[in-house]
Amino acid sequence: MTQQYKFRVRNFQGFLQHFDTYELANRELSLWVFQVSGFSFDNTYANMLMFDGSKQYVPINEANEILINGQWYGPEHWNH
């Protein structure tokens, strides 16, 4: 039997998220993650894909956390 992968997306307060399963620190994680399409030249902003297809810059700090609607999300919560 072949395992099938379902690609799931959702609208999280206007931001595009997809469900991703990956390995981190020798354990498997399944998380809803944001999609980063790029960064500002000084790496202080991440360009996020929005659910409607547009893009929006959000702050990113030195710990690679992005700020989405007042909440900081670490690098395990976004893909580039």
Side-chain angles (χ1 to χ4, degrees), residues 12-76:
F12 181 79
Q13 301 175 5
F15 291 87
L16 175 70
Q17 283 191 314
H18 68 273
F19 197 72
D20 199 7
T21 301
Y22 60 97
E23 188 174 314
L24 180 68
N26 294 323
R27 57 177 223 204
E28 192 174 275
L29 295 176
S30 295
L31 299 169
W32 285 100
V33 295
F34 299 98
Q35 188 61 45
V36 176
S37 66
F39 301 93
S40 62
F41 289 110
D42 59 1
N43 290 324
T44 57
Y45 290 93
N47 199 6
M48 308 301 298
L49 291 177
M50 304 302 289
F51 192 77
D52 66 4
S54 64
K55 296 177 184 174
Q56 178 179 326
Y57 277 105
V58 300
I60 185 168
N61 64 20
E62 291 180 6
N64 288 325
E65 298 169 323
I66 56 174
L67 184 63
I68 303 289
N69 295 331
Q71 173 74 41
W72 288 100
Y73 293 92
E76 67 276 9

